[in-house]
Amino acid sequence: MSELKRSWLESANVPDTDFPLNNLPYGVFSVDDGDMRCGVALGDRIIDATGLEAAGHLRADADADVLDAPYWNDFMELGPAAWSAYRVALTAMLAEDASDGVQDIITTYSVPMAAATLHMPFRVAEYTDFYAGRHHATNVGTMFRGAENALPPNWLHIPIGYNGRASSVVVSGTDVHRPWGQLKAPDSEAPVFAPSKRFDIELEMGAIVGQPSDRPLTVDEACEHIFGYVLLNDWSARDIQAWEYQPLGPFQAKATATTISPWIVTAEALAPFRTATPAREKPLLPHLADTTPMNHDIALSVSLNDETIAETNANELYYSAAQQLAHHTTSGCPMRAGDLLGSGTISGPEKHQRGSLLELSWGGKEPIETDSGPRSFIEDGDTLALHGSAHGNGYRIGFGHCVGTVLAAAEDPFAH
């Protein structure tokens, strides 16, 4: 198991920080009414990467400023060699043996995390959401089609996905209004237009594509193209989804919002925690077959109004992010730096490991008891949060929280 890398910033060395020197996740921040700037989290501070670059203390590219905009996309496009070199140089400046002069520079170009506002860390080019968690797919399929037909015939052969809305991806802390939509109860003759009554969350990981491509990628190439990861909450209106999804899949039920955590945890930081995908029931075709462990051992949980209601692990994903990306490119589909791939809901085999209220309440038939009262689905005013961390020897790699509060539906947009 990998060891803690010690920093001269003592808050980075405490075991319960999300942001030790081993992590160094990338985000975007502002202080008071100042400009948005690229930053790196370390302990209880944010390193001003934009300021370091402008002053010439740490540059990712000798010929251009790539951190002078409020997103990390330009940095991503430099490629894996530049990502690694920047991380090495930044680690040296933050390590416990850094000189007093270097420490003074970092102190000048950093701010307390508590004083900062966090923003979207990258521009989302496109957003695709997958269905790569077997326990979730089995649970949902059992609810709607019965246990004998839970998984569709293609599920064990390809990572199933759909194209979502990049425009609706928001950063943690953004409130979400309950959506309006067309609903139809099973015993009704006609649909009605009303606020969703079965609003839900999905506990997912999001993989960020850091390199463009315009040809099919092997799984190994796809792995090299992934810049980093975020926690991802795919807000889902289950009643809207039930009425609309035949025959083309989710649409408006998934378009309200997708919340991501504010820090991009790099693939390099998570490398020590790579693990194999679950055992294959059927062998994958060669272009998708596992070549090396590409899943991650990341403990995940969901809280409702600060009470934990589910716990699972990212290692439950049947298809790794690299396999999802490789499959996405097989048709020649161009990928861009900043593409976001949602994993699909991550659930485990036990009830307390289910990553959505749809599963936890078994479609609303078995409400769960919480400190806020029984819940089948989200009620107005509820705050849902996703948490995740990978655990090393005396340290953890965290993502920061992925939080959203559900507000009542806006007034009827078509009322006169």
Side-chain angles (χ1 to χ4, degrees), residues 296-371:
H296 295 95
D297 179 7
I298 301 171
L300 301 169
S301 65
V302 180
S303 65
L304 186 153
N305 300 330
D306 294 325
E307 176 189 1
T308 298
I309 59 171
E311 296 177 290
T312 186
N313 194 293
N315 62 19
E316 295 286 357
L317 286 170
Y318 194 79
Y319 296 100
S320 68
Q323 288 166 319
Q324 295 166 35
L325 176 55
H327 176 62
H328 207 329
T329 68
T330 53
S331 64
C333 171
M335 305 301 295
R336 305 175 186 174
D339 279 352
L340 176 63
L341 309 181
S343 65
T345 305
I346 306 171
S347 296
E350 305 296 330
K351 181 174 182 179
H352 73 279
Q353 297 172 323
R354 297 172 183 172
S356 67
L357 284 164
L358 176 68
E359 296 167 87
L360 287 167
S361 72
W362 206 250
K365 297 177 182 178
E366 303 172 7
I368 62 171
E369 294 298 326
T370 78
D371 293 342

Side-chain angles (χ1 to χ4, degrees), residues 380-399:
D380 292 346
D382 283 347
T383 296
L384 280 299
L386 313 184
H387 316 272
S389 55
H391 294 261
N393 188 5
Y395 74 96
R396 53 187 275 160
I397 300 291
F399 293 78

Side-chain angles (χ1 to χ4, degrees), residues 28-224:
V28 171
F29 74 99
S30 64
V31 177
D32 297 327
D33 295 326
D35 294 337
M36 291 189 291
R37 308 170 75 80
C38 292
V40 181
L42 181 71
D44 61 1
R45 296 189 71 81
I46 300 176
I47 313 303
D48 182 358
T50 298
L52 288 174
E53 178 185 67
H57 295 301
L58 181 62
R59 302 184 61 84
D61 188 321
D63 301 318
D65 289 341
V66 295
L67 301 176
D68 59 348
Y71 43 76
W72 284 84
N73 297 60
D74 295 340
F75 176 86
M76 292 185 212
E77 293 188 3
L78 296 177
W83 306 343
S84 183
Y86 186 82
R87 181 178 174 84
V88 168
L90 183 57
T91 298
M93 298 180 75
L94 301 172
E96 64 179 350
D97 60 356
S99 69
D100 291 343
V102 168
Q103 293 185 35
D104 289 344
I105 291 170
I106 293 296
T107 300
T108 300
Y109 290 96
S110 68
V111 300
M113 190 171 294
T117 299
L118 300 178
H119 306 276
M120 280 290 295
F122 68 106
R123 290 182 305 177
V124 181
E126 306 281 355
Y127 169 48
T128 303
D129 197 29
F130 285 88
Y131 193 48
R134 182 168 185 174
H135 295 294
H136 172 72
T138 300
N139 287 338
V140 173
T142 299
M143 275 184 256
F144 293 106
R145 293 185 297 275
E148 66 282 358
N149 296 308
L151 293 179
N154 59 355
W155 200 94
L156 293 171
H157 298 277
I158 57 172
I160 297 171
Y162 68 92
N163 289 313
R165 290 290 301 174
S167 63
S168 66
V169 180
V170 297
V171 74
S172 175
T174 305
D175 293 337
V176 176
H177 279 277
R178 181 178 300 275
W180 287 80
Q182 196 171 115
L183 321 174
K184 183 180 183 299
D187 57 351
S188 66
E189 294 185 2
V192 297
F193 184 70
S196 171
K197 297 178 176 63
R198 294 163 68 92
F199 201 42
D200 197 2
I201 56 99
E202 292 193 345
L203 168 60
E204 304 190 22
M205 296 295 301
I208 301 164
V209 178
Q211 287 285 275
S213 62
D214 57 5
R215 61 172 178 81
L217 299 174
T218 68
V219 172
D220 290 314
E221 288 173 326
C223 189
E224 291 299 313

